[in-house]
Amino acid sequence: GIWGAYTYNILAIGVSALFIVVRYIVEVSLAIQFSNSYDLPTPTLQFAINAVLDTLLVYPHVGLIREINNGIMTPETYPREKASCCCV
């Protein structure tokens, strides 16, 4: 995640994003198995909330990968992009 963004490494950023998605899938499957084992209701609200939160985490990863692929964000163009931020 952070190292990939710092070094403009698409593979590292992608692995971080993939980890978030895989973690969500494992979390859902384990929760379903647990609820079935103990005759509990399936926690669909928890799934929905976690899906929204994980989407909010994956979105910047995908955005940075797209900007690096399109040549918008590179070590050479970083000063220009930093200046276009509303925070600077």
Side-chain angles (χ1 to χ4, degrees):
I2 294 174
W3 175 80
Y6 183 75
T7 60
Y8 302 93
N9 187 324
I10 294 173
L11 180 62
I13 300 167
V15 167
S16 179
L18 182 65
F19 177 77
I20 294 169
V21 172
V22 169
R23 186 201 53 80
Y24 176 75
I25 293 170
V26 169
E27 177 186 359
V28 168
S29 65
L30 289 175
I32 290 172
Q33 288 177 3
F34 181 81
S35 64
N36 289 341
S37 296
Y38 293 100
D39 294 326
L40 299 171
T42 305
T44 49
L45 180 61
Q46 176 187 349
F47 296 160
I49 291 171
N50 287 343
V52 169
L53 292 175
D54 286 346
T55 301
L56 291 173
L57 290 174
V58 170
Y59 179 75
H61 290 76
V62 173
L64 182 58
I65 290 171
R66 289 184 61 209
E67 286 195 354
I68 292 172
N69 273 339
N70 293 335
I72 297 169
M73 185 62 75
T74 64
E76 294 78 25
T77 61
Y78 176 75
R80 181 189 72 205
E81 294 301 318
K82 181 181 175 185
S84 69
C85 180
C86 64
C87 307
V88 178

